[in-house]
Amino acid sequence: MKDTKEMTNNSQTIKNLEAAFAGEAMANRKYLYFAKLARELGHEDVAALFEDIAQQETGHAFAHLQLLFPKDGMTVEKLLELARDGELYETNHMYPEFEQTARQEGAESAVAEFKEQATESAVHATIFQKAAQRFKALGKVEALHAAEYADALKRVQQGMSLKTAS
Ligand SMILES: [Fe+2]
Ligand SMILES: [Fe+2]
């Protein structure tokens, strides 16, 4: 289906897609958690029901993601950078703010959890950053190899044409 207009980054539809994605993604993890609890409570049939619907929520979430991050024009480098930026946002903005509020409200267990997860997000950001750098370096090496190959091929072809000329 073709859009009648190009969606801009801050259009209401983009915001709605992000909200819808968040809701479906949350439903997926929540139902998996409910399945775990239902199983621990001894209700395997209810656990299986939650797992089945959770699977469908993943499909719904992916459908929204396909519009938010279309494959056209996407590169692996861009994917790694988007992931890194998300983790950096959690590390530097989201968790510190949440931690401060939790402290003000005396919610000590939440303070501890936000702190711990900010650290884990920082680790994830570093992993994505390193992968992006490796990927960039690999791209340069590949470009170099491709240039060397093209050069060698040219030399061989020139040599061959010299031979056929003689
Ligand atoms: Fe859904
Ligand atoms: Fe993370």
Side-chain angles (χ1 to χ4, degrees), residues 32-105:
L32 288 181
Y33 177 69
F34 284 1
K36 176 176 135 58
L37 290 192
R39 186 162 288 122
E40 284 169 13
L41 291 167
H43 290 274
E44 183 53 41
D45 50 341
V46 179
L49 175 88
F50 274 125
E51 281 164 355
D52 182 38
I53 303 294
Q55 190 65 26
Q56 294 180 36
E57 304 298 7
T58 296
H60 298 169
F62 272 38
H64 298 319
L65 284 175
Q66 278 167 16
L67 294 179
L68 286 167
F69 302 100
K71 194 179 160 194
D72 273 1
M74 190 55 86
T75 63
V76 172
E77 240 172 287
K78 178 93 181 134
L79 291 173
L80 290 166
E81 282 167 6
L82 283 166
R84 175 205 58 197
D85 292 348
E87 298 288 345
L88 283 178
Y89 166 74
E90 290 175 359
T91 310
N92 299 326
H93 300 282
M94 189 182 85
Y95 281 130
E97 282 164 30
F98 288 180
E99 186 193 324
Q100 198 185 3
T101 305
R103 187 168 284 116
Q104 282 161 1
E105 295 181 344

Side-chain angles (χ1 to χ4, degrees), residues 4-36:
T4 50
K5 276 187 191 168
E6 190 79 6
M7 282 189 286
T8 56
N9 268 352
N10 41 15
S11 75
Q12 190 56 46
T13 299
I14 290 285
K15 287 181 191 136
N16 291 345
L17 279 169
E18 282 170 348
F21 162 66
E24 299 292 348
M26 259 192 284
N28 165 265
R29 304 326 283 184
K30 194 196 282 174
Y31 295 162
L32 288 181
Y33 177 69
F34 284 1
K36 176 176 135 58

Side-chain angles (χ1 to χ4, degrees), residues 83 86-87 90-91 95 117-118 120-125 128:
E87 298 288 345
E90 290 175 359
T91 310
Y95 281 130
Q117 297 225 11
E120 284 179 25
S121 295
V123 172
H124 289 176
F128 286 135

